[in-house]
Amino acid sequence: CRNLYLKVDSLTIIKDKFHMEVKHATLTERSGFYVRDVSASLGICPEFVDMKRMHLQTLRSDVKGDFCFLTRDYDDYSDFEEKVRLSGNFSDSRLWLADLAPFASEMRGMNRRMGFKGRIWGTEANLKGKDLVLTYGNSTRFAGDVSFKGLPNWENTFTSLEIQSLVTDANDLMTIPQYPFTSQKNLQVPREVK
């Protein structure tokens, strides 16, 4: 982390456990990922990094909810994809998908916004989402459950969807970038769909 500015209240340290109320933080992560503001009730120890009532803002994203990294100890972070378990419960949030590029290079060039809320859990390599609501463009809305097995390798990732509802239209489909997202090409929609 570079360029960290942190304003906290109620810092408590007991042995290897820290707790604080983060009122405001700005940081630039070593990959270049910039956080304009984050606030949370933050707990840190070898077994978890827990952010209750988190509100994280980048220049284009606004994410709200509870989020936790669960580990056996700090050594698990050296094998993040397989050993660090994620747990999140998000309220209405907006994510600029290119903000994920420092952590998932496949997202580079995905200059689109997606709305989301719902629960996620599991490791990056075996990630699940429940009661998710995803929105995109002017009309696209997905409600349901998802699971990904094999991330971050998209070409070999098995995806399972349990769709409660899915609504979209041709205009939204035509704005979805083709992979690789840096190609500047969008999804080709058959004229029968238009």
Side-chain angles (χ1 to χ4, degrees):
C1 177
R2 311 184 312 243
N3 303 326
L4 173 65
Y5 169 79
L6 188 63
K7 179 179 179 185
V8 301
D9 274 348
S10 307
L11 174 63
T12 306
I13 303 171
I14 301 173
K15 295 187 182 181
D16 61 354
K17 293 178 175 60
F18 298 80
H19 182 269
M20 65 189 87
E21 295 297 319
V22 177
K23 299 299 183 185
H24 170 71
T26 299
L27 65 100
T28 303
E29 202 264 341
R30 66 178 167 202
S31 66
F33 179 67
Y34 172 67
V35 176
R36 183 177 69 185
D37 186 34
V38 64
S39 60
S41 179
L42 176 65
I44 301 172
C45 73
E47 295 82 27
F48 60 78
V49 174
D50 188 25
M51 296 169 277
K52 299 281 190 218
R53 298 179 311 279
M54 176 189 71
H55 188 186
L56 183 143
Q57 296 175 306
T58 69
L59 293 176
R60 295 183 171 163
S61 294
D62 190 1
V63 180
K64 301 172 192 163
D66 298 332
F67 189 68
C68 188
F69 297 102
L70 299 161
T71 57
R72 286 176 311 182
D73 55 41
Y74 291 122
D75 290 339
D76 283 357
Y77 287 100
S78 65
D79 188 7
F80 188 89
E81 295 159 7
E82 298 287 338
K83 292 185 177 178
V84 177
R85 292 171 320 229
L86 311 172
S87 177
N89 189 7
F90 298 96
S91 56
D92 288 321
S93 297
R94 294 183 320 275
L95 179 64
W96 184 255
L97 295 169
D99 277 351
L100 298 174
F103 313 104
S105 61
E106 298 84 6
M107 298 305 286
R108 192 167 288 115
M110 185 58 146
N111 297 319
R112 301 291 188 275
R113 180 170 284 113
M114 180 179 78
F116 72 98
K117 67 180 177 179
R119 293 182 14 225
I120 64 158
W121 72 91
T123 63
E124 182 180 358
N126 189 17
L127 193 61
K128 294 175 175 46
K130 183 133 181 94
D131 300 323
L132 293 176
V133 176
L134 308 174
T135 58
Y136 175 82
N138 294 319
S139 303
T140 301
R141 184 179 187 277
F142 165 91
D145 303 337
V146 300
S147 68
F148 300 101
K149 189 158 183 74
L151 289 173
N153 184 348
W154 280 103
E155 288 84 22
N156 294 313
T157 295
F158 177 76
T159 304
S160 173
L161 301 172
E162 289 188 32
I163 301 172
Q164 294 167 356
S165 70
L166 176 62
V167 177
T168 192
D169 65 18
N171 290 330
D172 280 358
L173 291 173
M174 290 187 300
T175 67
I176 297 174
Q178 288 183 6
Y179 187 80
F181 303 126
T182 55
S183 72
Q184 302 299 314
K185 296 179 183 176
N186 287 347
L187 186 68
Q188 298 298 308
V189 177
R191 74 177 181 286
E192 294 82 16
V193 175
K194 293 180 185 177

